Every structure is written in structure tokens, then in C-alpha cells.
Amino acid sequence: MRKYILLFLAIVATANAQKHELGKVTIDELKEKVCPKDSSAAAAILFEKGKTFFIYTQGEGFKINTEVEMKIKIYKKEGYEWANEKVRFYIGSTPTEGVQFSKAVTYNLVNGQIEKSKLKSEGEFIEKVNKIWALKKITLPNVKEGSIIEYKYIIESPYFSTFPTWEFQKSIPVNYSEYTTEIPEYFYYNNLFKGFLAPVVTKNAVTRTITLNYKDIVQTGLNMKYQTSTDNINYNENQTTYIVENAPALKDESYVNSIKNYISSVEHELTGKKMPQSQFESYANTWEDVVKKIYDNDDFGPQLKKNNYFEEDIKTLISGINGRDEKIMTIFNYVKSRMNWNGYYGYACTDGVKKAYQDKVGNVAEINLMLVAMLRFAEINANPILISTRANGISLFPSRNAFNYVIAGVEIENDVILLDATSKNSIPNILPTRDLNWMGRIIRTEGSSAEINLNPKSISRDIVSSMISIDKEGKLEGKIKEQYSDYNAFIVRENNEKSDKNNYVEKLEKKLNNIEISEYALTNMDTLNKPVIETFSFKGNNSVEIIGDKMFFSPLLFFAKKENPFKQEKREYPVDFIFPFEDKYVFNITIPEGYAVETMPAPISLTMSDNLATLKYILNNTGTQIQVSSTLTVNSSIISSDYYDELKAFFGEVVKKESEKIVLKKI
């Protein structure tokens, strides 16, 4: 009998576990020290369940709610961040969306007993992002290594056109992810999958009833009274459940533009609505529909028509300037110098272009829409370009949520000049790297729109030249000159604004095999149309190995690549280098007196298919000097995963060649 009781309890326990309910935390779960499926994981999602469903309210119609339940195990201190949750909700118009958290608890094992710590009021707050979006945030209390945290939240929305995107993968392992949609027969949605994990999908249909209550005035003889009645409407509800189990942590790989683009997820697009006794209404958006709605918004299109706040200033600024290119540069530089970006993204103005101009500070939209308006005032064919930043990812279908940023574009003969005045270091066609996310969409004054390729076309060069001498003890001494052009120069300028010179030099010394740097200088930092030039003298003791009567060193010394950045056996994502680039090294190495070259690496010339990348590596021995020339060129900013095996092999050859040694022998 005891055996059957134990078996029954085990079955009940298994059934409860499969239900994935909040509040079901066990001592064994709290004792667990390492994630069984990934020992490196700082945390793991034990389960995540979501449900999006419709609620009908008489007089208001259908609203859409999404409930989410989450249970997370914390294994390491690095996983503490998972005790902080934030949920975005729409506040751009009335009615707004709302978010409510509940059942937020931290569980710990204390003296063999389970201790519960509930979310306190000071751990919950709202942060307004801009006029359109806000964040509801919570921070769970008493989180430690070994804790389990749980919470539930519900998003209440009057906007049935917008479903949340459900992500089955995270940056930590997910044991179980379940998402259910319950959609009345009146609404038609396309579901779109993304990523490389296919969920198990089950479908069902049930009958629901809407009960409508009416109150009518009825006259009986001379008396008037209210009479109540009800009416029931039955409709079919289509239920779909998506389940993914044991999803591995989605880890960022080298050269990925945004990992969000490859997360296994499902999105829903509203294509139409047909209510009882009504005609079918199409909601299927085209990109033209989307841009028209954005352009007509008071915080976008009308802002481009305002010019009284800058008219006199721009008239004075461009007085006497007739050339188109000079006008563009003059106005662009004026906006960059006058305006200061407040760090907020978005394609809609918060306070408006006029106030931003007066205050000399604004969000992305205020600065770049102002720039477009000024260029148009100067009779330049300028238009706004809507984009999605790298961190925001790429949308699968036309939607206003597809964009979170706007830049300016000037259309000239068969080309578009791209401008972003939020960065002081930006120049035409050299945008902040956050902007470089495949395609944008230009909106013209007559209402048409078109895709714009944001990928840089020109090659950004990094040219290192050096005169180096090696003494008999294997010590190096020399001077280095490094020239950064285009995007390389932009990145140096941006980084220089954020770092202290002394700290930067210390990091550079460490990066270059602990050399000692002196006479460090940067030139052309403020001359944005010229390459940045970095120069310094150096001494080093760690790049030459002496064994007996021989010296061994890499021709590229401390610039040699030590490992292949592409380590995965298989690559699912495109390789995104951000911009095409060329790394060139030209060295003259004077060998010590009394030594001669015994062997040198052989020259090599490599070319990938379709000329995607090339390497030219040449060494020449003059007797007292070794001349080294190495040029690595990547001609495309984005390389398809179809080329991954070849790309991995190519960079493997680059590392192998740069690891080969020059051997000097004492004579």
C-alpha cells in the first residue's frame, strides 16, 4: 500500500510540474547549484507562459490583454540582472495601455526552509521614455545565488492591431516556453515565425458567448417603467498554442548586427476585421500606408513645414553661397554645432522642433527633422528617412513599430546623401554606426516612399606604417603612424570623446603586448573631412624570442592576429562587419648587426569567392632590413552565412600566415 501511495504522489508531483504553475517552488530546485543543460549559465528560465486573449465590454468593444508568467533560477551573481524586469507600454494617445505586476516573489533556502520575499512598493515604478512609450519596471528583493524568482504581469490594451512579439529564446537557457493566442473569429491575423527553433503548434476552437444587457422604457397605460433584457451572441474563438522546450541560450556571435533579428519568435499581423452585420475591413498595411500615417502625425510631417523659428538665421548663414554641396555642408555643420542630442530615439518629436531649436537640445526626430526643414528652406531636395537602429532589429512586416529613428537624406543624381546631425563627428554618408541596419525608407513631400540602402559603399581604411629596429637583446624601438579614414576615423573620434588620454594610452600599451609608449599624439580630430592620424614612439621587450643564436618574431609583431574570430562549426546568421574595411601594415624592420635572415614566411595572395575578401602579404629582405607589406580587405559589410565555411577558412589562413616567424641567425 505504501508503494502505491508513493507512486501516486510522484504522479501528482509530475503533473504539477508539467502545469508550470507559479508558487510551486521546491527545496531541490533551490539547492541546485548549476544549470543541468548549460553549466556556464548565470541563470535559466524554468518556464515562461504567455497568453494573449480578447475581452468584450459592452459600449467599448473588444480589448486585448496579454498575461505573462515567469519563473527564473539564479545560479551566479552575473544572473542578478534577471531579477529586474521592464515592460514597455503605449501612452501616445488616449486611451493608453496599462501594465500590472502581481505574484512577484523571491524564494531562498534559509536553514533548510523556503523563505519568501515579496515585491515591495519601492521596487515597482514607471519610467516615461518619450511621448509615445513608457516602461513599467520592477526590481525583486533579496536576490542571491541560488534564488528563484517569479512574477506575473498583464498588459491591457485597447489596440487589437498590436500583438506582442513572443520570444522563445533568451540570452540564458529556457526550459519551457509556451505562448497561447485566443482570437475571436472576427479578427484575422497572419502569424510569422523567425529564428531557427520550430515550436510545436496545437490548434483548437471553442464557442464563446457575449451577453448584452439592454434597458428599455416601456409604457403601461399611464405608467412608464424600465424593462431589462439580454441578448446572447455566440462566436467561435480560435486557440493556438506554441511550445518550445529546452531552448539553448542565444549567444551573441562575432560580427552580428543585432541578435534580436535571429531570436526564435512569433509575431502576429492584423490583416482584417469582420464584425457581425458589417463589411470586411482590411488592416493589411503596406509600407506606403505606414509612412503616410507617420508623416501625417502632428509630431512628424507638420514639424517639417515650420520654418519661422530659423528663417532669419539660415538666410544669414547661406547668404552668398550658391553651390549645392556647400549649402548642404554649411547647414549640416550648423545644426551639429548648435544642437545637442539628449540621447532619446524615436521618429516623433517630443517638444517640437521650435522649442528644441530655442533650447539647443532635442531628440533624434527634433534634430534631424529640423535639418530636413532647413535644407528644404535652402532649396535642397531633402527628405526624412525612417530607419530601425541595429539594436532595434528588423521588422518582418509593415508596421509603425518597425522604425525607431529618423535621419535626413538629400537626393541627387542617382544617389542619396545620408545625414545624421545627432553626432558631432558625423559627416555626409558617415552615420553613427547605430544607424547602419540594412535598409531605411525615405518619405518624399508628395507622399511616396522608397527603400534606401544604408550599408556603406566605400572602404574604410586603417593604414599602419612603422620604422622599427631590433637590438642584439631582442628589444624593439620605433615610431608608428596610423591613419584612420571614414568609419574608422569616426569611431576613433567618438571613442576619444568618452575616454581620458592617459587611460587610453595605458590600454593601448597593454593591447600591443605591453609596449612602452611616448610622444603620443592625435591629429585631424576636428578636421572631419580628413583621416585621423595617430602617432607615437615605442619600446618593447616581449615580441622577439631568443633561443640560442637565433631570434624569432612575427613580421607584424604585436599587430599580428592571434585567433580566428569565427569559431562556430556552423553559422546561421549573416556576418556583419558594419562597413567594408581595409587593414594595411607597412613596416621597415632593421635587424641587429651581426645577424642575418635565415628564413622568412613566403608571400601569399588569397581571394574569397566573389571578391568578398582578399589578403596580400609580401616580405622582402634587403640584408639589413626586412620590408613587410600586408593588406587585408573585406569588400562587403554583410556576408551571407552561405559563405561562412569559406570565410572561416580564409581568416584561418590569415591567422596562420601572421603567426609564421621570421628567423634571424647570428653570423
Side-chain angles (χ1 to χ4, degrees):
M1 187 67 179
R2 174 180 172 81
K3 180 173 70 174
Y4 290 121
I5 292 172
L6 291 174
L7 178 62
F8 173 75
L9 292 175
I11 292 171
V12 171
T14 302
N16 284 337
Q18 290 173 344
K19 288 182 179 179
H20 303 289
E21 296 177 350
L22 296 181
K24 305 292 185 179
V25 175
T26 67
I27 291 177
D28 286 342
E29 286 177 318
L30 289 167
K31 282 182 175 179
E32 193 172 76
K33 300 296 183 185
V34 177
C35 177
K37 299 179 178 66
D38 182 353
S39 60
S40 67
I45 295 175
L46 302 183
F47 75 79
E48 181 182 27
K49 291 172 60 179
K51 181 174 70 171
T52 296
F53 57 98
F54 287 70
I55 293 177
Y56 185 86
T57 303
Q58 188 169 345
E60 297 181 9
F62 281 105
K63 294 183 181 180
I64 187 170
N65 287 359
T66 297
E67 287 183 351
V68 176
E69 294 181 348
M70 184 81 80
K71 181 179 181 181
I72 303 172
K73 170 73 178 182
I74 308 295
Y75 293 105
K76 303 176 184 178
K77 289 181 180 178
E78 293 80 5
Y80 287 2
E81 63 182 290
W82 288 92
N84 303 315
E85 179 61 294
K86 57 185 178 183
V87 179
R88 190 177 76 158
F89 61 100
Y90 181 73
I91 57 170
S93 60
T94 302
T96 64
E97 293 181 334
V99 177
Q100 299 295 328
F101 277 91
S102 63
K103 300 184 179 180
V105 180
T106 302
Y107 297 89
N108 287 299
L109 193 60
V110 180
N111 298 324
Q113 300 295 316
I114 297 176
E115 179 184 85
K116 295 171 61 174
S117 302
K118 294 184 179 181
L119 176 68
K120 299 176 182 177
S121 58
E122 59 265 28
E124 184 174 2
F125 56 95
I126 292 176
E127 176 186 314
K128 185 176 180 182
V129 177
N130 51 40
K131 289 170 66 175
I132 298 174
W133 298 105
L135 294 173
K136 186 70 171 285
K137 293 184 173 184
I138 63 167
T139 299
L140 284 154
N142 201 24
V143 175
K144 306 171 184 176
E145 292 180 69
S147 296
I148 289 177
I149 60 172
E150 293 183 340
Y151 54 83
K152 175 182 178 179
Y153 64 83
I154 183 167
I155 306 172
E156 299 171 332
S157 175
Y159 304 107
F160 50 78
S161 61
T162 305
F163 261 55
T165 297
W166 185 264
E167 297 177 348
F168 299 102
Q169 278 183 291
K170 311 288 182 185
S171 60
I172 56 176
V174 180
N175 293 358
Y176 182 87
S177 180
E178 175 188 302
Y179 180 54
T180 299
T181 61
E182 298 177 351
I183 303 174
E185 63 179 275
Y186 311 125
F187 301 94
Y188 300 82
Y189 292 87
N190 285 334
N191 53 358
L192 302 103
F193 294 98
K194 187 164 61 174
F196 304 99
L197 296 177
V200 175
V201 181
T202 57
K203 295 185 178 182
N204 188 31
V206 298
T207 301
R208 299 289 191 198
T209 301
I210 297 173
T211 300
L212 303 176
N213 296 308
Y214 301 99
K215 186 180 287 187
D216 300 317
I217 299 176
V218 179
Q219 183 170 359
T220 304
L222 298 176
N223 298 320
M224 305 284 289
K225 67 176 182 178
Y226 286 104
Q227 180 176 300
T228 59
S229 62
T230 61
D231 187 14
N232 292 328
I233 299 175
N234 296 325
Y235 65 91
N236 289 327
E237 180 181 87
N238 299 307
Q239 299 179 349
T240 306
T241 298
Y242 310 87
I243 295 175
V244 170
E245 295 189 75
N246 300 320
L250 190 69
K251 295 179 180 178
D252 234 337
E253 298 181 9
S254 300
Y255 304 108
V256 174
N257 66 337
S258 172
I259 202 69
K260 285 180 65 175
N261 290 328
Y262 312 106
I263 291 176
S264 290
S265 59
V266 60
E267 297 183 24
H268 287 76
E269 174 195 18
L270 179 66
T271 59
K273 180 182 76 167
K274 186 182 185 308
M275 304 302 291
Q277 290 83 49
S278 298
Q279 294 293 321
F280 178 83
E281 296 179 55
S282 175
Y283 281 81
N285 278 326
T286 65
W287 286 115
E288 297 296 335
D289 296 331
V290 169
V291 298
K292 185 179 187 308
K293 289 174 184 174
I294 292 174
Y295 198 86
D296 291 343
N297 188 291
D298 289 342
D299 294 321
F300 192 92
Q303 301 291 323
L304 294 166
K305 298 176 182 178
K306 299 177 181 180
N307 58 27
N308 61 332
Y309 65 94
F310 64 69
E311 186 173 347
E312 293 304 318
D313 292 340
I314 299 302
K315 278 183 181 178
T316 302
L317 184 70
I318 63 174
S319 176
I321 299 175
N322 297 316
R324 178 194 64 193
D325 293 348
E326 189 179 355
K327 278 185 181 179
I328 293 170
M329 285 304 302
T330 300
I331 293 172
F332 182 47
N333 288 332
Y334 174 72
V335 175
K336 284 197 302 174
S337 62
R338 179 186 178 91
M339 299 303 299
N340 297 287
W341 181 41
N342 59 17
Y344 286 110
Y345 289 24
Y347 56 72
C349 296
T350 299
D351 297 318
V353 288
K354 183 175 181 179
K355 188 173 190 310
Y357 186 76
Q358 292 169 346
D359 296 343
K360 300 183 180 181
V361 63
N363 68 5
V364 165
E366 285 153 351
I367 292 173
N368 285 327
L369 294 182
M370 177 190 304
L371 172 61
V372 171
M374 290 178 177
L375 290 168
R376 288 180 176 179
F377 181 77
E379 300 180 341
I380 302 295
N381 183 21
N383 292 299
I385 299 175
L386 295 165
I387 70 172
S388 173
T389 58
R390 294 173 70 83
N392 194 54
I394 297 165
S395 182
L396 294 174
F397 50 82
S399 163
R400 279 181 285 181
N401 295 334
F403 305 110
N404 71 327
Y405 204 96
V406 61
I407 62 173
V410 175
E411 296 190 81
I412 57 175
E413 304 81 15
N414 301 316
D415 203 2
V416 179
I417 301 171
L418 305 176
L419 305 168
D420 185 346
T422 62
S423 169
K424 308 291 185 186
N425 297 309
S426 176
I427 60 176
N429 291 328
I430 302 294
L431 304 171
T433 54
R434 58 180 173 266
D435 299 359
L436 305 181
N437 195 27
W438 296 10
M439 306 297 289
R441 184 158 287 270
I442 193 166
I443 309 179
R444 301 187 178 99
T445 50
E446 76 278 9
S448 68
S449 73
E451 276 194 337
I452 299 294
N453 191 341
L454 301 172
N455 292 321
K457 302 178 183 67
S458 61
I459 290 177
S460 297
R461 290 180 168 81
D462 184 353
I463 303 173
V464 182
S465 56
S466 183
M467 300 291 292
I468 304 164
S469 62
I470 304 175
D471 68 14
K472 294 180 181 181
E473 296 178 349
K475 296 178 180 178
L476 301 178
E477 187 171 349
K479 293 183 180 250
I480 286 178
K481 176 183 178 182
E482 190 160 3
Q483 295 184 70
Y484 304 91
S485 70
D486 295 339
Y487 272 100
N488 286 323
F490 174 84
I491 291 169
V492 170
R493 290 181 174 113
E494 290 282 292
N495 290 341
N496 187 68
E497 287 182 352
K498 301 169 186 174
S499 63
D500 174 81
K501 178 182 174 181
N502 292 330
N503 288 339
Y504 175 79
V505 171
E506 287 179 12
K507 290 179 182 177
L508 183 61
E509 288 176 329
K510 186 175 181 180
K511 176 184 174 183
L512 301 180
N513 206 14
N514 294 311
I515 63 174
E516 181 183 328
I517 290 176
S518 61
E519 300 176 309
Y520 180 85
L522 280 171
T523 55
N524 293 339
M525 290 296 285
D526 298 322
T527 311
L528 302 185
N529 62 339
K530 292 185 178 181
V532 170
I533 298 176
E534 182 180 53
T535 58
F536 56 86
S537 299
F538 73 91
K539 294 180 181 179
N541 302 321
N542 303 316
S543 298
V544 178
E545 184 180 12
I546 300 177
I547 303 176
D549 62 349
K550 294 182 180 181
M551 291 185 178
F552 302 80
F553 60 91
S554 166
L556 295 185
L557 300 166
F558 34 72
F559 287 101
K561 294 177 179 63
K562 294 180 176 60
E563 61 181 10
N564 190 336
F566 304 106
K567 298 179 176 62
Q568 298 83 11
E569 287 299 315
K570 185 180 178 182
R571 173 92 173 204
E572 304 282 4
Y573 324 132
V575 176
D576 188 335
F577 289 106
I578 306 179
F579 49 84
F581 66 89
E582 181 175 279
D583 293 342
K584 184 172 184 178
Y585 301 93
V586 180
F587 293 170
N588 281 301
I589 303 172
T590 301
I591 66 177
E593 188 177 349
Y595 281 80
V597 175
E598 182 178 72
T599 60
M600 290 194 312
I604 192 173
S605 179
L606 299 174
T607 302
M608 277 188 65
S609 301
D610 300 325
N611 200 38
L612 289 172
T614 62
L615 173 69
K616 293 181 180 179
Y617 190 83
I618 302 170
L619 278 74
N620 184 42
N621 175 20
T622 66
T624 59
Q625 284 191 334
I626 301 169
Q627 296 169 344
V628 182
S629 176
S630 174
T631 305
L632 170 66
T633 308
V634 174
N635 291 306
S636 177
S637 57
I638 299 174
I639 295 179
S640 165
S641 59
D642 295 339
Y643 291 93
Y644 178 70
D645 289 342
E646 186 182 359
L647 183 69
K648 180 181 178 181
F650 175 86
F651 271 87
E653 287 298 315
V654 172
V655 173
K656 180 181 175 182
K657 178 54 66 175
E658 294 185 3
S659 299
E660 294 178 354
K661 306 293 185 183
I662 294 172
V663 181
L664 304 181
K665 185 174 182 180
K666 201 169 188 180
I667 55 176

